[in-house]
Amino acid sequence: MIGKATRRAGAVLAVVAAVALVAAGVWRYGYDQALDGLARRGEADLALASDRLTGQLQRYRDLAVLMAVHPELTGPRADEVLQHAADRTSVLNIFYLDGRGRVQAAAHGSQPEAEAALIAGGFVGRAFDGALGTGHGIDPSTGLRAFYVAAPRFFPGGGVQGALVVAVDVEALEREWRGDRPAVFFTDEVGEVFISNRSEILFWRRSEAGLQPSVGEAMPRARSDSGGHEVWRMQWGPYLPAVGLHIVRDLPTIDMRAEALVDVAPARRLAWLQAAVVGLVGLVVAAILFWAMERRRVLAVANATLESRVMERTTELSGAIAALRREVAERQEAEAALKKAQADLVQAGKLSALGQMSAGLSHELNQPLMAISQFAENGGLFLERGKTDAAAGNLRRIAELAGRMGRIIRNLRAFARQENEPVRRIDVVAVVETALEMTEARLAKDGVILEWERPGAPVWAMGGEVRLGQVMVNLIANAADAMSGGEMRKLSVVIEAAPRPVIRVRDTGPGIAAPEKIFDPFYSTKEVGASEGMGLGLSISYGLVQSFGGAIRGQNAEGGGAEFTVELEPWRGEQAA
Ligand code: ADP
């Protein structure tokens, strides 16, 4: 994690460094280009300033040459003429020197000695040599900077008669271009600034690394060469650039050198702007690239996580599916086992019922058989004595008893057949009668009083005769069991026809101990080992009644005892027909 973060930070630093390097290159290139442009403009500006100065001075040269040949110059009105000319041209002074260098005439009342001292300088000499001389210096009479032009005056026959000197007010020339851009100054042969449009550097002297004030401390400055250009760094005041491009131009016509200091701030600004734009674009591009890479990386990581999660889930799911399959198989096995157990139980229940019934049946069949043999014996005796009527009565009784036995046996056969018995129309009354017949002996033995109101008409319902019969036998046997220990033993069986066919079996026993449990298989309160204590009778009855769409319920009756109701589906088919 830390390794990754430092790697990323390293990459970011490298990109930023690269962008900075490119921006620096752009700055350098842009600066050089801008300096070239500045230099070209500066040179043009300097040429313009120089031309202006030389142009201005040229006027005074012409003035000197013209005045030198003035006819009145040697006459009595010379002063007046010169003054007139000086006033017109606003020069500092004009004066005429004779052949020996003495001031003959002057425009503004001169101090001849001072002027003589001044003109001892070379330029007057050049005029006496017959050429045009120029020079500069401080005008002694005014203390102002002056530019001098000296022109020779010739004798009519040749030879130099004298010299006319014009002293030009340099400050008046400067006044026109003071403050102009760029800063321009003109240095003389000794390197002193004599003319400039920035007054603060007047009389400064050229030195190794620039200019230096003539008096006082040296001003801080530095020089450097940038792309073939000379750049000065200085703190020379508010009207001079802090960093300036130094441009030089020789002016041999006035023996001076023109120099300019062009402010490089615009070039720097331009270079910075270009570098900033390039740097910004570089950073933006880098940021976009970085963002895209980061995004791809994040996506890849997310993808990998997702895939691994999907794999995990898939394995989990396959595990779950396998477990489910196992469970389903187990359930199926359990279900099969349960079904088998249920089938076995039903079988066991049936066997138990069969046992009960066969016990009842053998008793039931025994009685009529014994009665038949008795009647047959008596019948034989009646016939011997010729009492045919009595014998016929006996035979009738025998026939009745045989019929009854036949019915009992039919029941038994039907019981064996019950598996395949279809649900069809049955007469509930007949079924109850049969069940009562089958349990008659038992009830009689227990001394149970039977309350049975036989309905006058059949009550039709959907069901199976044998199965319903089995249910009834079971209910009656249970009632007899319940009452076996009691004082009052009364069993009432009622059939209701409407709205649905219902059979009610009510006893006067102790009632049901746990009504919610009685239909559970193997629930029994009877003693283990007793003949009918299997706890299957009611659960089998429940299944049988349900098999033909009915319902069986058991509850404690008001006034004591238990009451079982069997509700059946009415048979509608024939009524509709
Ligand atoms: P078993 O008769 O073998 O006990 P049954 O399923 O027929 O099994 O009956 C279950 C239980 O229901 C009986 O043990 C008994 O406690 C109760 N029971 C059934 N009929 C009556 C009744 N008429 N009166 C009181 N209790 C009854």
Side-chain angles (χ1 to χ4, degrees), residues 478-479 482 507 511 518 523-526 532-538 562 564:
N478 272 350
D507 61 51
I518 49 174
Y523 171 74
S524 177
T525 53
K526 292 165 194 171
E532 308 115 346
M534 277 197 60
L536 284 172
L538 281 181
F564 283 84

Side-chain angles (χ1 to χ4, degrees), residues 56-112:
Q56 281 168 328
L57 291 179
Q58 187 61 42
R59 274 166 49 206
Y60 297 106
R61 273 185 214 196
D62 295 347
L63 174 71
V65 171
L66 277 176
M67 290 306 293
V69 297
H70 200 287
E72 294 284 340
L73 211 56
T74 47
R77 288 179 56 238
D79 279 347
E80 199 183 320
V81 168
L82 288 181
Q83 189 185 350
H84 192 68
D87 287 347
R88 293 269 173 99
T89 54
S90 66
V91 294
L92 280 179
N93 213 343
I94 306 178
F95 43 91
Y96 177 65
L97 309 176
D98 64 10
R100 281 168 299 181
R102 285 189 308 239
V103 175
Q104 284 277 301
H108 302 300
S110 59
Q111 300 160 313

Side-chain angles (χ1 to χ4, degrees), residues 177-380:
W177 34 284
R178 174 146 303 147
D180 276 7
R181 275 166 192 274
V184 172
F185 55 93
F186 297 86
T187 48
D188 57 18
E189 60 281 1
V190 294
E192 193 178 72
V193 176
F194 190 69
I195 308 173
S196 174
N197 60 359
R198 298 288 187 281
S199 57
E200 49 269 58
I201 55 169
L202 279 176
F203 305 118
W204 287 26
R205 275 172 184 274
R206 189 180 307 126
S207 74
E208 263 308 292
L211 288 177
Q212 193 166 334
S214 48
V215 286
E217 293 265 308
M219 297 295 268
R221 103 192 68 74
R223 265 175 62 168
S224 68
D225 285 346
S226 178
H229 303 294
E230 195 181 305
V231 177
W232 290 9
R233 268 157 233 282
M234 57 221 144
Q235 262 107 44
W236 290 346
Y239 303 110
L240 282 151
V243 182
L245 180 64
H246 184 227
I247 298 166
V248 183
R249 183 188 167 89
D250 276 326
L251 287 180
T253 47
I254 56 167
D255 282 335
M256 283 199 177
R257 214 161 81 148
E259 296 175 53
L261 284 171
V262 183
D263 195 355
V264 301
R268 290 178 151 228
R269 268 203 299 277
L270 194 69
W272 274 119
L273 199 72
Q274 287 170 337
V277 167
V278 167
L280 209 69
V281 167
L283 280 182
V284 166
V285 168
I288 288 172
L289 280 178
F290 192 73
W291 175 79
M293 267 160 58
E294 195 66 357
R295 215 180 128 74
R296 268 184 58 179
R297 199 183 60 77
V298 167
L299 272 181
V301 168
N303 250 1
T305 323
L306 197 70
E307 259 166 35
S308 75
R309 264 196 213 152
V310 167
M311 286 286 284
E312 263 171 40
R313 283 285 152 84
T314 311
T315 30
E316 268 171 30
L317 274 180
S318 348
I321 287 172
L324 272 178
R325 284 218 181 102
R326 268 201 308 280
E327 206 165 300
V328 166
E330 276 167 19
R331 288 266 161 96
Q332 278 170 343
E333 271 170 31
E335 204 179 300
L338 191 70
K339 271 199 183 134
K340 191 173 173 304
Q342 271 174 348
D344 289 352
L345 281 177
V346 169
Q347 204 55 32
K350 271 196 262 177
L351 284 175
S352 140
L354 202 63
Q356 280 177 41
M357 218 148 71
S358 54
L361 275 172
S362 53
H363 180 76
E364 198 78 356
L365 290 176
N366 232 3
Q367 248 192 347
L369 261 181
M370 277 169 53
I372 283 172
S373 65
Q374 199 72 54
F375 281 127
E377 241 171 68
N378 290 352

